[in-house]
Amino acid sequence: FFFENKGNMGQLVVFVLIQCFMLLHAKRPNPPRWPSSVRVFSPTDTDIEQVVNTAYRTNGGHVPPDNGQFSDARYAFLFKPGTYSADVPVGYYTQVVGLGDSPDDVVFTGPKGVHSEEGNYRFVVGALNSFWRSAENFKSVSTYPWFPGYNGMLWAVSQAAPLRRVHVQTSLLLFQYTFGDAAGFASGGFMANSRVDGPVFSGSQQQWMTRNCQVGSWTGAVWNMVF
């Protein structure tokens, strides 16, 4: 049957291809109709912390420890160029992205700014489970005193939690100390195409990979610091 009707079949194939082409190139809304889990913020928005903290209550925090680790919620927070005074905690399955041409086009001036705390305040767990999040393409001038002697941007994470194209004007802390005998454990992380004007404190971070970055200095190493 196929060979006897190959002319008709050829016409059908052409028709289907044309329809597919038209669907792919149909006029789409600009900006796109994002789902509720995606927000594009402007510096004039007044609900940034409300939106971000609502997501963090689902996919972050410490009640229970490592809250949101197996959540099915996903969030993306995009920031248009400008200056933001909001503090933006980053929990599980959350992406924070600046939309400028340069990291310096989006600046976070809040005390904590964009940050990721360890998911468990017990030091033997710490940030060992703090996975599945990312932050990129912005400038941080955060000066929050996370623990005595350590101020700056906190990114206490382990695997699958990269920092990319970030300009940290102060210090960058890759671990967290809350209480007890030791800092919270942390194991594995990645930073690329970034600049840290001050020191990077890796502390209890067991291994970390840094690629194509400029840092003021680097203090601390447990096992494997790769540059």
Side-chain angles (χ1 to χ4, degrees), residues 173-205:
L173 317 178
L174 303 181
F175 74 107
Q176 187 173 6
Y177 174 80
T178 52
F179 59 87
D181 297 330
F185 293 177
S187 182
F190 178 77
M191 177 171 65
N193 304 325
S194 296
R195 171 181 169 184
V196 181
D197 294 342
V200 176
F201 295 103
S202 59
S204 58
Q205 186 66 243

Side-chain angles (χ1 to χ4, degrees), residues 23-56:
L23 286 173
L24 288 173
H25 292 81
K27 186 175 181 180
R28 299 173 183 174
N30 187 13
R33 296 190 184 95
W34 299 111
S36 59
S37 58
V38 178
R39 276 293 302 268
V40 181
F41 293 113
S42 298
T44 55
D45 289 336
T46 58
D47 64 342
I48 296 175
E49 289 195 353
Q50 176 185 343
V51 172
V52 169
N53 288 335
T54 297
Y56 193 67

Side-chain angles (χ1 to χ4, degrees), residues 50-218:
Q50 176 185 343
V51 172
V52 169
N53 288 335
T54 297
Y56 193 67
R57 282 193 292 271
T58 300
N59 279 11
H62 305 87
V63 184
D66 292 315
N67 182 49
Q69 183 177 9
F70 300 108
S71 167
D72 59 2
R74 305 291 186 267
Y75 299 101
F77 300 127
L78 287 67
F79 293 82
K80 295 180 180 179
T83 300
Y84 297 84
S85 61
D87 288 331
V88 181
V90 184
Y92 286 102
Y93 312 111
T94 301
Q95 183 180 28
V96 173
V97 182
L99 298 178
D101 292 333
S102 162
D104 290 343
D105 291 339
V106 176
V107 183
F108 288 94
T109 61
K112 297 180 179 180
V114 178
H115 62 282
S116 178
E117 288 198 60
E118 62 183 11
N120 192 317
Y121 286 154
R122 293 178 58 233
F123 77 86
V124 293
V125 181
L128 292 179
N129 297 325
S130 299
F131 306 147
W132 308 315
R133 65 200 71 193
S134 66
E136 59 189 282
N137 202 42
F138 59 82
K139 179 179 180 179
S140 170
V141 298
S142 302
T143 58
Y144 189 77
W146 290 100
F147 39 96
Y150 293 86
N151 303 1
M153 177 180 172
L154 178 68
W155 194 254
V157 298
S158 290
Q159 296 92 345
L163 280 178
R164 297 187 182 93
R165 282 176 57 83
V166 171
H167 178 191
V168 180
Q169 185 172 292
T170 53
S171 302
L172 176 62
L173 317 178
L174 303 181
F175 74 107
Q176 187 173 6
Y177 174 80
T178 52
F179 59 87
D181 297 330
F185 293 177
S187 182
F190 178 77
M191 177 171 65
N193 304 325
S194 296
R195 171 181 169 184
V196 181
D197 294 342
V200 176
F201 295 103
S202 59
S204 58
Q205 186 66 243
Q206 295 172 8
Q207 48 255 332
W208 188 275
M209 182 173 181
T210 302
R211 176 184 180 275
N212 194 33
C213 293
Q214 176 182 332
V215 303
S217 61
W218 191 285

